[in-house]
Amino acid sequence: FVMKKLMNNVLRAALVVLIFSFASCQEEFEVVGGGAEEQTISSNSSTSILIEQASSHDGSFDNIVDGASCFSIQFPYAVEVNGVQVTIDSETDLKVIEEIFDEFDDDFNILDITFPVTIIFSDYSEVIIQSHDELVSLARDCIENGEDDDIECIDFVYPITLFTFSLQNQLTGEISVESDRQMRRFFSDLGDNELVSIDFPITLVKYDGNEIVVNNNSELLMALDSAKNACDEDDDNDYNEDDFT
């Protein structure tokens, strides 16, 4: 009887040790494996693509001049509007063109750009355009009515700190991103053998001015994805619409 009781106690002790060992191994796997997958972003992931789209250059604000939402003309440049010379130094000056167009309801509006000009694409690359024909040719490649890839209904609040890792999850670098241009170029240049993580929390501003705070990649993915069609990006060429900011 004593021997049987001793054997039972030994078996119980062994079982308890086995259970605790299993639980410990399982917890370690969830923290290391699941945590790394959750916190790092690869170059071809959905999150990476949405970050690029949300940080792309919006070319729709000067459609009254170039008729193209996928690029804008770099300031400053000069135009002739119905015979009036106008220098465009900022977005505010574009209202001058609209005012001249709206001065008479029945006139035929003519706008001539003084070439050469530099245009800026969604990825912030730049090309010098020498003529109206070159500009029109590139504008034909733009799609009207909000079907371009950029996400304009939400913006990042900078600065944002990013960490880069190797595929072996070894830290390889740290960068403080200060603008959409930096963010877009960083993710565009991210190599197949690189991973990146974001120093959360970060703040984003929606089109209506409301701020949201995201704490991980899952929340970021949800915020950017839901913002894709959340507002009217006004990517058409109707300059006379006044129902948007």
Side-chain angles (χ1 to χ4, degrees), residues 71-198:
F71 61 78
S72 68
I73 302 178
Q74 186 179 72
F75 303 123
Y77 59 92
V79 295
E80 184 176 302
V81 188
N82 292 347
V84 178
Q85 293 287 337
V86 179
T87 299
I88 308 298
D89 290 314
S90 66
E91 288 189 43
T92 304
D93 295 328
L94 297 173
K95 296 295 293 183
V96 177
I97 299 175
E98 183 177 348
E99 290 169 1
I100 295 173
F101 278 177
D102 291 343
E103 189 174 359
F104 301 102
D105 293 334
D106 300 326
D107 64 332
F108 183 73
N109 294 312
I110 299 175
L111 185 146
D112 291 319
I113 302 170
T114 302
F115 292 94
V117 294
T118 299
I119 61 173
I120 306 171
F121 290 99
S122 61
D123 63 355
Y124 298 95
S125 61
E126 299 178 1
V127 173
I128 296 176
I129 302 300
Q130 302 288 347
S131 68
H132 176 74
D133 290 341
E134 283 187 57
L135 188 69
V136 170
S137 178
L138 288 171
R140 288 196 187 102
D141 294 333
C142 292
I143 303 173
E144 263 198 74
N145 299 323
E147 297 298 327
D148 54 337
D149 289 335
D150 64 331
I151 299 175
E152 301 170 30
C153 302
I154 197 166
D155 293 305
F156 292 104
V157 175
Y158 298 102
I160 294 174
T161 300
L162 305 177
F163 304 100
T164 56
F165 297 84
S166 66
L167 292 181
Q168 291 74 36
N169 282 330
Q170 294 178 329
L171 182 66
T172 58
E174 176 182 338
I175 181 174
S176 178
V177 178
E178 304 286 344
S179 66
D180 279 342
R181 179 189 291 266
Q182 274 187 277
M183 182 72 86
R184 171 61 194 253
R185 288 187 166 177
F186 177 88
F187 276 90
S188 296
D189 294 339
L190 194 65
D192 294 336
N193 296 323
E194 289 182 296
L195 300 172
V196 61
S197 70
I198 299 173

Side-chain angles (χ1 to χ4, degrees), residues 221-234:
L221 178 66
M222 186 180 300
L224 296 179
D225 190 58
S226 63
K228 287 193 294 187
N229 300 307
C231 67
D232 178 11
E233 296 184 346
D234 200 64

